[in-house]
Amino acid sequence: MRGSLLTRQRLVGVFLIGVVLLLSPALSLFDRADELAGIPLSYLYLFGVWLLLVVLAAVTVESGDS
Amino acid sequence: MPKKVLIVDDEPNIVLSVEFLMKREGYEVATAGDGQKALDMLPEVRPDLMILDVMMPRKNGFEVCEAVRADPQFGGLPILMLSAKGREAEMKKGLSLGADAYVTKPFSTHDLVDRVGELLAGRGA
Amino acid sequence: MLGPNLIVLYALLYLGLLFAIAYWADRRADQQRSVIDSPTIYALSLAVYCTAWTFYGSVGRAASGGVGFLPVYLGPTLIAALWGTLLLKMVRVSKTQRITSIADFIASRYGKSQMLGGIVTVIAVLGVVPYIALQLKAIARSFTILQSYPEVQGLQDVQTVPVLHDTALHVALVLAVFTILFGTRHLDASERHEGMVAAIAFESIVKLVAFLAVGMFVTFSLHDGFADLFDKAEAAELLNPFIASPDSGYQDWFSLTLLAALAVMMLPRQFQVAVVENSSEHHLRRAVWMFPLYLLLINVFVIPIALAGQLEFAGSKVDADTYVLTLPMLHQQGGLSLLAFIGGLSAATGMVIVETIALSTMVCNDLVMPGLLRRWKHVPPSVDLSHLLLRIRRGAIVVILLLGYLYFRLAGEAYALVSIGLISFSAVAQFAPAMIIGLYWRGGTRSGALAGLIAGFGIWLYTLLLPSFAKSGWLPAGFLEHGPFGIALLRPQELFGLSGMNEITHCLFWSMTFNIGAYLLFSMRQAPNVTETTQATLFVDILKHERPVGIALWRGTAEVAELQGLAERFLGRERSRLAFRRFAGERGIDDPAMLPADAETVHFAETLLAGAIGSASARVMVASVTAEEALGVDEVLHILDEASQIRAYSRELEQKSAELEAATRDLKTANEQLKELDRVKDDFMSSVTHELRTPLASIRAFSEILFDDPKIELAERKRFLGIVVSETNRLSRLVNQVLDLAKIESGHADWKTEDVDLVQLVGQATAATEQLFSERGAVVHCDVPPRPCVVAGDADRLMQVLVNLLSNAAKFTPEGHGKVHVSITEQDSAGSTAYRVSVSDNGPGIDPADQADIFDKFRQGGGGSQKPVGTGLGLPISRRIIEHLGGTIRVESGQPNGATFTVMLPQTRGGGAANGGSDAEEGPDRR
């Protein structure tokens, strides 16, 4: 973690993406009673975003210069 | 029988002055202008002491000293090195190569004569 | 099949296994072969965040609120992305200052304030005890439920059980013993517990595996996957697909996310594993994604289990908080039920062990120690303080767990698991302003932090804790409905008329508003003092400083022996001696007693002590044996400023390390050249002295001879005096040439620029050296053009070169039949015309090996086999003259056919095409 200023900055970017997807009106777009493949859209959205954030963070730190 | 001194130096004026000093002390003198010539002359001259310059053409004083010490016949010949090379390291080198005394140029004539006298007396004893 | 004894046996076996892991990891740590030095272990240990509340409570919450529980995990997922800076700062500060707890951290940030440390400790204990109670409750309930296997029963009222037969009490006592074993087994009261971390990481795996096992059984064995389960739930009208709550919209979603994001960093146990127990900053890297991934995995099956439970237990008295255990039981899955029980046990014990250790450290260092220190001012302490420290911590562990039990016994049943957890979250969130703002804003002061904490905590007490007491029946319920003394504006759950929020959101809003407000207001009211300034800068600029700069910030007098004695009292003799010896070794000193009593040593002793008793107490203790001189604020700022400037410079250097490496290489080459130059210079000096000593020797010898003996014959006397005169001349010549060379080399020589006719010059030079040749019986033959060959130059200097070349030739020609040939020819080269002057002799020639450096000083003629003739400076001087005039000089020698010296000089007039019309006076400068 040390020394990789770029990685840290990119992680802040991941944080901001997460804030927009989980804590903004964007959330309400998926807050509906619809289902996709038998699973409520809202559930899919939340876990999907969650997984996306994990993957983004992982890609950022594991590919960053050490 | 007078002691015989071989003076080896490439500077004619030095040879001249040392020769004068040695003769004044009553020694027999032979001279050589370079190291190789000195080594060639050894069996013939059979000196009792050698006064040896260091910086000389053909064979320098260190080489001559080494060669003399390696020779079984003259291994014990007293050698006085008389050199303008006055650095500590050079003196040490001369003495460790087997020289009995190391006198730097410019030298005191009295000192030189005394040292030669000591070396010859030491050998005679 | 699963009688109470058997369950107890399994539980104890599990705890025994944990202890074995911890013991093994401690042993490895002692052997310097740490097992926890792994980013994965670190990330897993952070999952101590997931407690029984997660394991059992999430399902309960999901059963009633759908995905409404998820912010408890989404908050940490979001904030984890900021750990790269936020947590890194906290870790680095803690490493350099040997921070032992979050109380220590906040106290240290605001000038190592004992008061702050104490307040943080009180808040943490009061805030977290309910959370510990929750774990005890979970273990006791799961034990009770599993006992009735294979029957699934509703729960009997816990409070009807007499205290001594209460499972929860037994659980609390057993856990106290285990926590003491994990956390304070070592005689040295150090801040890190490698064994505990290893055990916690293992527990994280156990609870995840157990939860996933139950989740998969429920989803794929009892039902046909997620879609099937959702269909059935929808049909039974159990599914709540909405994120927003019907009452308050997204408000709770936001506030819960924020609360969890703060709690995951502020909870004492999270601070313990993430910061205090961190063994390498590199581990943060993986935690940033692996910890959120863990949270994601442990939550995937929460909603399916909740839905399945509701489908199965519809209308029964079975609590949704127990579905994880009761669903396998209902389906006669003995093994899976036991695994679920063990999973819940691991989640609860992990939390209890780490939280209690963290709290006991805080209680010991920040509550008890300051009191003891005050007492010791009057009554000197006993020598063996390290045992006392351990006893205090063990006592604190027992007291905290009993407090947890007490809370559980008195208030536990009033709330569901999730609510108790959120009350704790809200309490520790009060640390966030002082912690986080304090890491980025230097202006925060001790009084600001105190005011913020007290205000925030007060609001928490009033809006969250008191209502929970009221709901438990300890306070009149009218207090909630009508406000104290009937003042509606002060109703705890609708403070100042703010309504329409759930209690957690309401508390978070008001407590943060008052906390941050008071923090900022009181911070800005007065300027920070010296210690506050120092600590603020050290914390805020921690990423700028590679090394702790505190060492430079102490001035005063100290005795090393006293410092060492102090450390021995608290850390034990062996450990402190080892630490001092290592420190001395780092400073290149063999004997610790020989350490200088300087700022660095004092700083070392203080941080060493801080690791055992906290920074505030360590500061007081060190101050008691040293005499510190006060530094002014300006002075401190100046020192810190310098330190950060130095850091900035060195960072710049780091970035340019590649360039630097190249520069270093160049420097090395240059150095070697300089060394070579030095050697040459040394040789030069040696040669000059040698050349000086030889004529001096003759002069002195003959002078002494003449002086000693006045009776020397006249002829001989004249001869000797003649030698003295000629040797004196030789000396003066040498001195002149050395000076001449030095003058040319330094660029101070006077150069005339005039037209010089080489033909004429050669004539003059041969005339000047005629004597030399005739003495040696040599013949000089000149071959020059019939017309003038004009070059631009200095006639005297050129003359010097020619005479030098000619006299050299004369010296080397064989005696009696020497032949010297001098010629001038015109030569075109590279578009311009040059004159070529050569001087050839029929002497012995020059060894090809020596030709290259014959122009170097004192490297003249013949090398080792021949005595240098002359001063050895003639050719070097000649070369410099010719080069200065824009020409070249070189030597050719086909040994033994003599040597030819050739000088090339560019022509300026007399038929040269290129320079035909140019004026000699304005000829090109060839330098």
Side-chain angles (χ1 to χ4, degrees):
Chain A
M1 187 58 69
R2 47 195 303 162
S4 51
L5 193 63
L6 186 64
T7 303
R8 286 188 235 151
Q9 299 298 319
R10 285 185 178 149
L11 282 174
V12 174
V14 174
F15 169 78
L16 293 175
I17 291 172
V19 168
V20 168
L21 292 179
L22 294 175
L23 299 176
S24 79
L27 191 64
S28 64
L29 293 177
F30 299 89
D31 196 5
R32 289 179 286 158
D34 295 347
E35 285 187 5
L36 197 69
I39 297 166
L41 187 64
S42 55
Y43 294 13
L44 273 182
Y45 175 75
L46 289 175
F47 281 93
V49 170
W50 199 342
L51 190 64
L52 175 77
L53 292 178
V54 169
V55 169
L56 282 179
V59 168
T60 304
V61 296
E62 299 297 337
S63 70
D65 49 334
S66 51
Chain B
M1 195 180 136
K3 303 276 185 182
K4 204 182 276 179
V5 177
L6 175 60
I7 303 168
V8 192
D9 203 315
D10 63 333
E11 282 283 337
N13 292 337
I14 303 278
V15 174
L16 198 64
S17 62
V18 177
E19 186 181 6
F20 181 88
L21 288 167
M22 294 301 113
K23 279 184 173 164
R24 199 177 66 186
E25 295 301 306
Y27 305 128
E28 226 176 86
V29 173
T31 63
D34 65 65
Q36 188 56 52
K37 207 185 268 176
L39 287 176
D40 293 345
M41 284 168 70
L42 273 183
E44 190 193 325
V45 177
R46 306 196 143 273
D48 297 294
L49 181 134
M50 178 150 68
I51 297 177
L52 188 59
D53 183 25
V54 173
M55 286 286 283
M56 289 183 298
R58 289 174 70 189
K59 249 199 174 75
N60 69 35
F62 294 137
E63 291 164 331
V64 172
C65 191
E66 226 174 341
V68 170
R69 287 287 174 252
D71 188 320
Q73 207 179 341
F74 302 103
L77 175 67
I79 296 175
L80 185 147
M81 287 199 128
L82 185 64
S83 172
K85 284 191 166 293
R87 286 191 292 200
E88 187 89 357
E90 286 148 350
M91 295 179 70
K92 269 190 186 153
K93 183 175 177 185
L95 293 174
S96 64
L97 282 175
D100 298 283
Y102 195 103
V103 177
T104 51
K105 298 172 183 174
F107 53 89
S108 150
T109 51
H110 303 284
D111 190 34
L112 180 70
V113 168
D114 289 352
R115 302 292 286 275
V116 168
E118 278 166 27
L119 286 175
L120 285 171
R123 200 201 179 189
Chain C
M1 179 184 155
L2 276 173
N5 293 339
L6 203 56
I7 300 171
V8 169
L9 180 69
Y10 280 126
L12 288 179
L13 275 179
Y14 174 73
L15 289 177
L17 176 63
L18 273 191
F19 184 71
I21 290 171
Y23 185 77
W24 168 70
D26 273 338
R27 283 281 300 275
R28 288 277 298 248
D30 290 343
Q31 299 162 5
Q32 309 294 325
R33 284 161 54 222
S34 174
V35 279
I36 67 155
D37 185 17
S38 141
T40 305
I41 302 271
Y42 177 71
L44 284 173
S45 73
L46 293 178
V48 73
Y49 180 73
C50 298
T51 65
W53 178 28
T54 301
F55 199 85
Y56 293 115
S58 286
V59 173
R61 174 104 178 196
S64 60
V67 288
F69 70 100
L70 276 183
V72 173
Y73 308 95
L74 290 175
T77 297
L78 288 175
I79 203 85
L82 295 183
W83 282 354
T85 49
L86 199 55
L87 190 55
L88 180 68
K89 267 190 150 178
M90 288 163 60
V91 167
R92 198 173 285 176
V93 165
S94 302
K95 293 290 164 233
T96 53
Q97 309 231 348
R98 295 281 290 261
I99 300 289
T100 57
S101 67
I102 189 165
D104 201 8
F105 189 95
I106 292 175
S108 189
R109 161 64 184 83
Y110 298 98
K112 305 190 179 177
S113 158
Q114 287 186 334
M115 164 89 89
L116 256 179
I119 293 217
V120 171
T121 302
V122 169
I123 296 176
V125 171
L126 290 180
V128 170
V129 159
Y131 203 176
I132 291 173
L134 185 157
Q135 311 301 319
L136 299 179
K137 177 176 168 180
I139 296 173
R141 281 176 96 187
S142 62
F143 177 70
T144 311
I145 291 168
L146 191 63
Q147 261 186 15
S148 64
Y149 183 85
E151 297 294 311
V152 178
Q153 298 175 342
L155 281 167
Q156 59 193 97
D157 193 1
V158 178
Q159 275 159 308
T160 58
V161 180
V163 170
L164 286 180
H165 291 107
D166 191 348
T167 319
L169 177 65
H170 302 154
V171 168
L173 292 175
V174 168
L175 282 180
V177 171
F178 267 87
T179 307
I180 286 170
L181 287 175
F182 278 119
T184 57
R185 191 171 57 83
H186 276 286
L187 269 180
D188 60 66
S190 76
E191 72 275 24
R192 290 191 56 214
H193 312 80
E194 295 221 347
M196 180 199 81
V197 174
I200 293 312
F202 175 73
E203 297 219 83
S204 291
I205 296 173
V206 170
K207 66 195 178 198
L208 181 62
V209 167
F211 199 90
L212 290 179
V214 173
M216 284 193 236
F217 166 73
V218 168
T219 312
F220 299 107
S221 180
L222 297 184
H223 301 274
D224 270 342
F226 292 106
D228 176 48
L229 199 47
F230 284 122
D231 278 348
K232 289 175 186 163
E234 205 177 358
E237 293 186 353
L238 290 168
L239 188 66
N240 171 12
F242 297 107
I243 299 169
S245 89
D247 309 327
S248 54
Y250 293 102
Q251 210 166 252
D252 294 340
W253 177 268
F254 293 157
S255 68
L256 207 52
T257 306
L258 175 65
L259 187 60
L262 296 179
V264 78
M265 303 197 72
M266 302 300 143
L267 280 164
R269 70 170 189 280
Q270 294 302 130
F271 189 89
Q272 181 78 26
V273 289
V275 179
V276 180
E277 307 285 352
N278 174 281
S279 58
S280 163
E281 284 177 11
H282 297 288
H283 296 171
L284 264 57
R285 183 174 271 275
R286 190 164 297 167
V288 161
W289 62 269
M290 199 180 260
F291 175 60
L293 179 63
Y294 185 98
L295 297 180
L296 172 62
L297 290 176
I298 209 164
N299 275 296
V300 165
F301 290 107
V302 169
I303 291 170
I305 292 173
L307 296 178
Q310 284 174 289
L311 288 170
E312 301 264 5
F313 295 111
S316 82
K317 277 178 70 186
V318 174
D319 190 342
D321 278 352
T322 67
Y323 285 166
V324 177
L325 188 58
T326 47
L327 274 173
M329 284 172 69
L330 185 70
H331 292 273
Q332 312 290 309
Q333 299 289 321
L336 191 60
S337 304
L338 189 63
L339 181 63
F341 170 74
I342 294 291
L345 183 68
S346 75
T349 53
M351 183 279 183
V352 171
I353 289 169
V354 184
E355 200 85 87
T356 317
I357 287 174
L359 285 178
S360 75
T361 307
M362 288 160 75
V363 168
C364 171
N365 291 354
D366 295 283
L367 276 184
V368 181
M369 280 308 294
L372 284 179
L373 291 182
R374 260 190 295 278
R375 219 188 81 181
W376 288 339
K377 277 187 183 164
H378 311 293
V379 189
S382 69
V383 178
D384 196 8
L385 294 179
S386 62
H387 283 83
L388 178 68
L389 282 181
L390 286 182
R391 278 202 296 277
I392 295 171
R393 288 185 192 183
R394 287 172 182 168
I397 287 170
V398 174
V399 170
I400 290 163
L401 278 167
L402 287 180
L403 277 177
Y405 173 70
L406 197 68
Y407 186 93
F408 157 71
R409 187 79 190 181
L410 296 179
E413 289 304 301
Y415 277 97
L417 296 181
V418 164
S419 304
I420 296 181
L422 289 178
I423 289 175
S424 289
F425 273 29
S426 304
V428 298
Q430 303 310 320
F431 303 149
M435 280 280 281
I436 295 173
I437 301 178
L439 270 178
Y440 290 90
W441 184 50
R442 280 179 227 205
T445 66
R446 176 176 163 274
S447 59
L450 271 175
L453 280 173
I454 291 170
F457 184 61
I459 299 285
W460 174 80
L461 273 178
Y462 189 70
T463 60
L464 216 52
L465 199 68
L466 288 188
S468 85
F469 288 170
K471 283 178 192 169
S472 307
W474 301 350
L475 289 170
F479 160 75
L480 285 185
E481 280 174 36
H482 311 294
F485 319 112
I487 305 172
L489 219 55
L490 292 182
R491 273 184 303 207
Q493 295 188 319
E494 289 180 17
L495 198 60
F496 307 125
L498 187 70
S499 59
M501 287 180 173
N502 80 18
E503 53 185 5
I504 298 294
T505 309
H506 176 263
C507 169
L508 183 70
F509 172 76
W510 280 124
S511 65
M512 280 298 139
T513 304
F514 278 85
N515 187 332
I516 296 172
Y519 175 78
L520 295 179
L521 216 65
F522 278 77
S523 286
M524 290 187 287
R525 222 176 46 146
Q526 74 189 87
N529 68 23
V530 181
T531 340
E532 287 170 308
T533 308
T534 308
Q535 291 301 104
T537 312
L538 291 180
F539 275 58
V540 173
D541 290 343
I542 187 69
L543 297 184
K544 291 186 192 158
H545 303 294
E546 193 71 0
R547 295 158 144 268
V549 293
I551 44 178
L553 291 170
W554 185 89
R555 199 170 57 197
T557 50
E559 291 280 340
V560 174
E562 292 210 51
L563 290 171
Q564 200 169 350
L566 191 65
E568 277 177 21
R569 276 179 165 179
F570 286 99
L571 299 162
R573 178 163 294 212
E574 203 176 314
R575 184 160 170 259
S576 83
R577 291 216 168 149
L578 194 72
F580 266 85
R581 212 173 304 133
R582 195 172 297 153
F583 173 69
E586 278 166 17
R587 295 185 66 177
I589 299 166
D590 288 335
D591 183 5
M594 303 302 288
L595 276 169
D598 58 4
E600 208 175 322
T601 305
V602 172
H603 179 260
F604 160 76
E606 190 179 322
T607 32
L608 184 67
L609 218 47
I613 60 173
S615 60
S617 300
R619 186 180 174 80
V620 172
M621 284 317 291
V622 166
S624 73
V625 300
T626 61
E628 182 175 2
E629 289 168 33
L631 287 167
V633 174
D634 289 343
E635 217 169 337
V636 168
L637 284 176
H638 179 70
I639 294 169
L640 291 170
D641 216 39
E642 254 176 17
S644 54
Q645 275 172 18
I646 291 166
R647 258 306 288 155
Y649 287 142
S650 75
R651 202 176 23 226
E652 242 169 68
L653 283 179
E654 265 167 41
Q655 285 166 349
K656 292 181 178 173
S657 74
E659 287 173 42
L660 208 87
E661 253 170 52
T664 311
R665 266 199 307 278
D666 291 350
L667 193 67
K668 222 173 164 183
T669 320
N671 247 337
E672 271 158 19
Q673 283 171 348
L674 277 176
K675 262 189 213 157
E676 168 70 10
L677 275 177
D678 261 1
R679 200 182 53 72
V680 168
K681 196 175 165 188
D682 204 39
D683 282 358
F684 177 70
M685 288 309 295
S686 167
S687 300
V688 167
T689 36
H690 183 264
E691 296 305 313
L692 287 170
R693 281 166 188 271
T694 303
L696 269 176
S698 297
I699 294 168
R700 179 172 180 185
F702 283 113
S703 304
E704 285 185 14
I705 289 168
L706 289 167
F707 183 82
D708 286 348
D709 192 355
K711 285 175 284 182
I712 292 175
E713 282 171 41
L714 190 64
E716 203 155 28
R717 185 184 302 222
K718 273 188 87 171
R719 189 177 154 215
F720 287 174
L721 282 171
I723 292 172
V724 170
V725 171
S726 77
E727 290 288 358
T728 311
N729 283 339
R730 181 175 158 190
L731 260 183
S732 349
R733 210 163 51 236
L734 179 76
V735 169
N736 284 337
Q737 285 195 323
V738 169
L739 290 176
D740 198 21
L741 186 66
K743 212 157 103 177
I744 295 172
E745 285 193 335
S746 68
H748 291 309
D750 293 325
W751 295 88
K752 282 177 277 184
T753 309
E754 57 198 343
D755 283 354
V756 180
D757 179 7
L758 289 176
V759 176
Q760 204 185 332
L761 206 65
V762 165
Q764 287 168 1
T766 45
T769 51
E770 202 183 341
Q771 177 81 13
L772 274 175
F773 289 103
S774 60
E775 271 173 15
R776 270 186 97 86
V779 185
V780 181
H781 177 73
C782 286
D783 182 8
V784 295
R787 54 191 167 77
C789 301
V790 181
V791 295
D794 184 318
D796 292 344
R797 289 290 185 185
L798 282 173
M799 182 72 176
Q800 193 183 344
V801 174
L802 286 177
V803 168
N804 182 258
L805 294 179
L806 284 167
S807 44
N808 271 350
K811 275 181 231 164
F812 283 101
T813 51
E815 195 107 41
H817 48 274
K819 276 185 197 152
V820 175
H821 184 88
V822 185
S823 67
I824 302 178
T825 51
E826 216 175 283
Q827 195 177 336
D828 288 329
S829 68
S832 68
T833 311
Y835 291 114
R836 171 194 178 113
V837 182
S838 9
V839 177
S840 313
D841 61 60
N842 61 343
I846 299 159
D847 194 304
D850 296 326
Q851 286 176 19
D853 49 30
I854 193 167
F855 293 103
D856 287 348
K857 287 163 275 190
F858 300 111
R859 297 274 178 89
Q860 194 190 7
S865 66
Q866 264 188 315
K867 170 80 186 171
V869 181
T871 59
L873 289 174
L875 284 174
I877 291 174
S878 298
R879 184 176 72 168
R880 278 169 182 72
I881 291 170
I882 297 301
E883 282 174 356
H884 182 88
L885 296 174
T888 55
I889 183 169
R890 60 194 161 85
V891 64
E892 285 159 27
S893 178
Q895 227 179 359
N897 303 325
T900 302
F901 284 86
T902 308
V903 173
M904 300 283 287
L905 282 167
Q907 74 165 199
T908 55
R909 200 185 285 178
N915 298 316
S918 74
D919 194 313
E921 292 296 325
E922 294 169 2
D925 185 0
R926 316 252 173 198
R927 273 202 280 175

